[in-house]
Amino acid sequence: MFILFGWISIFVSHIGYRRQVARGQVRGVSFKLPGAPVTNYVCLAFLVLLSLCIMFDMTNPHWYYSLIAGIVILVGTNIGYEISKRHVAKHGLPELGRSHPAEHDMTGTDAR
C-alpha cells in the first residue's frame, strides 16, 4: 500500500506541476513524460483501481489491514501536507541552490 500511494502521489504531483508550468508559475524542464498528460491519468487511474482492489480484497481473511493502512496513509499525508503548507506560508520556500563542493567531499578538497 505504501508503494502504491507513493506512486499515486508522484502522478498527482506531476499533474499539479504541469498545471503550474502551463500557467507560467514555474519553469518547465527539458525532459517530458512520454505521452503526457494522458499517461499521468491512465497510470493514476490504474494505481487507484489497484489500491482499491487490494484494500477491499474480501478473499483474504485479513483484508482490513490493507484498508486500515490505506486510511492511515491518506490521513497522514494530508496532515503532513497541511503542516508543510503552513510552514511554507510562514517561512517561505527553502533555498535549493547549488551546494558547496567541499560539503560533499569527505576530505574537504575538490575531487575534480
Side-chain angles (χ1 to χ4, degrees):
M1 292 307 301
F2 289 104
I3 293 169
L4 288 175
F5 277 107
W7 277 103
I8 289 170
S9 67
I10 289 169
F11 284 110
V12 169
S13 297
H14 190 254
I15 291 168
Y17 164 73
R18 295 305 310 164
R19 285 184 185 153
Q20 288 182 338
V21 168
R23 285 188 226 133
Q25 295 173 319
V26 295
R27 186 170 36 119
V29 295
S30 61
F31 178 79
K32 306 291 185 206
L33 176 66
V38 175
T39 49
N40 277 321
Y41 293 107
V42 170
C43 291
L44 186 60
F46 173 73
L47 292 174
V48 168
L49 180 65
L50 185 61
S51 297
L52 291 173
C53 287
I54 291 171
M55 287 192 300
F56 294 102
D57 179 14
M58 302 297 182
T59 61
N60 181 350
H62 301 290
W63 66 271
Y64 50 87
Y65 290 148
S66 296
L67 179 62
I68 292 169
I71 292 169
V72 168
I73 293 168
L74 286 174
V75 170
T77 54
N78 283 321
I79 290 171
Y81 172 74
E82 289 299 323
I83 291 170
S84 297
K85 189 168 77 171
R86 290 179 185 164
H87 180 80
V88 168
K90 187 175 183 180
H91 302 289
L93 290 172
E95 178 60 42
L96 299 176
R98 293 187 177 186
S99 61
H100 203 293
E103 292 177 11
H104 300 291
D105 187 8
M106 299 300 271
T107 62
T109 60
D110 195 354
R112 287 186 253 173

